Amino acid sequence: MARKFLTHLDMQGNQILNAAFEKLATDPTTGNFEGRIYYNTADDLLKVYDGTAWISVGAITDINGTANEVEVTIVDGVATIGLPGTINADTTGNAATATKLATARDIALSGDVTGTASFDGSANISITTTIAADSVALGTDTTGDYVATIAGTENQVIVSGAGTESRAVTLSTPQDIATTSSPTFAGATLDGVTVGVTAANEIDTVSGNLTIDSAGGTVTIDDNLVVSGDLTVSGTTTSVNTETINLADNIITLNSNATGSPTENAGIEVERGDSDNVQLRWNETDDTWEATRNGTNYAALILAGDDIPTSDITNFTEDVQDVVGGMTSGSNSLSATYDDNAGTLSLDTTLATTSYLSKASGLAVDIATLEAKLVTDSFTKKATANVGNGTNTSFAVTHNLGTRDVQVQIYDNATYDTVECDVVRTDANTVLFPLPSLQLMMHTE
C-alpha cells in the first residue's frame, strides 16, 4: 500500500533521511514520465526516464574498440569486450612459411603399452609398441566366453577351490540329502502346502485354501484352538458344551439365512427348568418388539418415537400446558402471559419511558428521535461524499456542518489508499479539492 500525494512536497531545505528509491527488477512500461527514477535490482543500477527511454545514472557510457581486433558493446550502461570472429593482425617469425618444427619432439606411449618415436613435422611417424606382462584383463580387454569363477548358493551348494588359476573345484551340499537320510529343513513346500516357510510352526498354502480331511469323518484337535480369521460352520447344528460364552461382537444376527419377505419371528429364549421359559422377540406379523413373562402371553414394548394416543394418558394436554406455564416468566425487557383457559402463551417487549426504539411494526431503532438526541448531546458529526469523474481536476463538496473547523480525509475508491492533496475550506459549509495532475474516483469524509 502506498499513500498518494497530489501536491508538491516543499522540504524547505530539510533533509530526507534513510530514504530509498522505488525498487523494480525490470524497467516499468506504464506510468512513465520525464524525470522518473527507480533502482533496478537485477542490474544494481539507478535509472532515470528521459521522456523516451530508461538510461542508467553514473555508469560507463562509452568505450571504443579496434576494428578486427577488439569489439565493445554497451547495453544499459554495461560494457562488454570481446574478440571478433576473424582477427586480422601482423605475425612475426617464420610461422607462415615453415615446413617442419624447428626442434623435433619425442612422442611416447606409457602404461600397459609403451613405445617412442621422434616427430619434427616433415613426415608421418610409426610407433613400435610393447604390451606389459599380465596387463590384459579377461572379459574387460578380451571378447568371447570364459569361466571367470564358480560360486555356490548359500545353504544349497558349497564351492571350494575356486577363484585362482590351476585350482581343483569341489562342489558339496550343507547336509546329506540322500533318500535314506533324515535332513533337517527350516521349512518345506509340498505340492502347494508349506510347512515352516511363512513362519515357524506354521502350515500354509502357496495358493488357494487348506483342507483337512479324514477317512473316518472326524478331525479331533486335542489342544486349545485359536481361530484368527472368520469361523464358518456349514452344518445344521452347532453345539457349544461350555458354561461361559464371551463374545467381542456387540451385534448378534438372527435368521441370517433369511431372504425375500420376512415371515419368521426371532428373539432370545431363557430356559427356566421346571418353570415356563420366557422370551424377548421380534413379532414379524405385528412388526414390533414384545416380551412374555409366562411363555404364552406377550406384551408389546414401547420405544422412543412410538406414537401413543393422548387418550391413553389421563389429562395429558392440560398437564403439559400447566408445566410450560409454570416454567415461563418475564423480565424488565420482556413480558410473558399464560392464559390457562385459552391455552396460549403471549410474549411482548417492554420499552423504557425514554427510549429510542419503536415496536409498532416490529422492534426497530427510531432513527429520527435518535439523530435529534445525538445532535443535542454534541456528538461528533461527519459528512461523506464520492468525488472524481476521470475528467475534472477540481471538486467542491458541500458538508453543511456549519463550520470551517473540519478535518478532511481522502482515500482512493479503487485501492483504498490514503490520498494527500490540497484542501481549501471555502466557507463554513463547503471544502474544495484542487487536483491539478490526477483525476481519481475518491471518497472523502
Side-chain angles (χ1 to χ4, degrees):
M1 180 178 291
R3 178 169 293 188
K4 294 181 175 66
F5 287 85
L6 305 184
T7 184
H8 299 296
L9 297 179
D10 188 349
M11 302 302 295
Q12 295 292 310
N14 293 310
Q15 301 179 54
I16 299 178
L17 303 179
N18 299 319
F21 288 104
E22 179 183 13
K23 297 177 181 179
L24 300 171
T26 58
D27 293 342
T29 58
T30 60
N32 293 329
F33 51 86
E34 186 176 6
R36 182 180 180 182
I37 301 175
Y38 89 98
Y39 181 76
N40 189 297
T41 56
D43 300 331
D44 289 329
L45 292 173
L46 188 65
K47 291 190 172 183
V48 62
Y49 192 73
D50 64 0
T52 302
W54 288 97
I55 61 174
S56 302
V57 177
I60 297 174
T61 58
D62 189 25
I63 295 179
N64 295 323
T66 302
N68 298 323
E69 296 182 11
V70 178
E71 294 180 345
V72 178
T73 57
I74 300 176
V75 179
D76 291 333
V78 178
T80 302
I81 301 175
L83 297 176
T86 301
I87 299 177
N88 183 11
D90 294 336
T91 60
T92 59
N94 63 348
T97 60
T99 59
K100 67 178 182 177
L101 299 176
T103 303
R105 295 290 186 267
D106 289 341
I107 299 177
L109 302 177
S110 61
D112 292 338
V113 179
T114 58
T116 304
S118 179
F119 177 73
D120 64 2
S122 61
N124 297 331
I125 63 172
S126 298
I127 301 176
T128 302
T129 60
T130 301
I131 300 175
D134 295 329
S135 62
V136 177
L138 296 178
T140 300
D141 301 326
T142 64
T143 59
D145 297 331
Y146 73 97
V147 178
T149 185
I150 298 177
T153 303
E154 184 178 1
N155 297 325
Q156 297 181 21
V157 178
I158 299 174
V159 178
S160 61
T164 60
E165 298 179 5
S166 303
R167 292 289 298 276
V169 178
T170 302
L171 303 179
S172 62
T173 59
Q175 59 179 320
D176 191 352
I177 58 173
T179 56
T180 57
S181 302
S182 298
T184 301
F185 298 97
T189 300
L190 307 173
D191 195 21
V193 177
T194 62
V195 179
V197 175
T198 304
N201 301 323
E202 181 173 326
I203 300 175
D204 206 342
T205 61
V206 175
S207 63
N209 299 319
L210 177 65
T211 300
I212 300 176
D213 198 0
S214 67
T218 300
V219 176
T220 301
I221 299 175
D222 62 357
D223 288 318
N224 295 334
L225 176 64
V226 176
V227 180
S228 299
D230 295 336
L231 177 63
T232 301
V233 179
S234 300
T236 57
T237 302
T238 301
S239 299
V240 180
N241 299 320
T242 182
E243 296 295 330
T244 302
I245 298 178
N246 294 324
L247 297 179
D249 196 346
N250 57 351
I251 298 295
I252 299 176
T253 301
L254 305 178
N255 286 346
S256 62
N257 62 342
T259 59
S261 299
T263 59
E264 298 293 331
N265 297 340
I268 299 174
E269 181 172 332
V270 179
E271 173 61 50
R272 302 182 64 217
D274 294 337
S275 298
D276 295 331
N277 290 357
V278 293
Q279 289 186 3
L280 172 65
R281 72 180 187 182
W282 172 260
N283 188 315
E284 197 60 69
T285 301
D286 296 336
D287 283 339
T288 186
W289 283 102
E290 60 185 14
T292 177
R293 290 188 176 91
N294 54 21
T296 302
N297 300 318
Y298 289 85
L301 302 180
I302 299 175
L303 303 179
D306 288 348
D307 292 332
I308 304 174
T310 56
S311 59
D312 291 348
I313 304 176
T314 304
N315 296 325
F316 174 78
T317 302
E318 180 64 25
D319 289 344
V320 171
Q321 291 177 350
D322 290 344
V323 170
V324 173
M327 295 172 59
T328 305
S329 62
S331 65
N332 292 335
S333 301
L334 183 67
S335 62
T337 304
Y338 169 63
D339 188 338
D340 185 59
N341 294 326
T344 59
L345 178 64
S346 302
L347 302 177
D348 193 10
T349 55
T350 302
L351 302 181
T353 303
T354 302
S355 174
Y356 302 103
L357 299 176
S358 171
K359 60 178 183 178
S361 300
L363 189 62
V365 176
D366 187 343
I367 297 177
T369 304
L370 181 60
E371 286 184 345
K373 180 63 176 175
L374 292 176
V375 173
T376 303
D377 292 347
S378 300
F379 275 81
T380 302
K381 296 171 288 184
K382 73 173 184 179
T384 62
N386 289 318
V387 298
N389 53 19
T391 302
N392 295 343
T393 58
S394 181
F395 303 93
V397 175
T398 301
H399 53 75
N400 290 325
L401 297 178
T403 178
R404 276 192 166 122
D405 186 12
V406 294
Q407 183 178 2
V408 180
Q409 183 183 44
I410 305 173
Y411 64 83
D412 193 317
N413 268 344
T415 64
Y416 299 97
D417 293 338
T418 297
V419 176
E420 300 287 348
C421 72
D422 291 333
V423 177
V424 179
R425 293 162 178 81
T426 307
D427 53 42
N429 293 305
T430 309
V431 292
L432 179 68
F433 306 108
L435 309 175
S437 61
L438 187 63
Q439 295 80 43
L440 296 175
M441 297 298 293
M442 295 182 299
H443 180 86
T444 178
E445 62 180 31

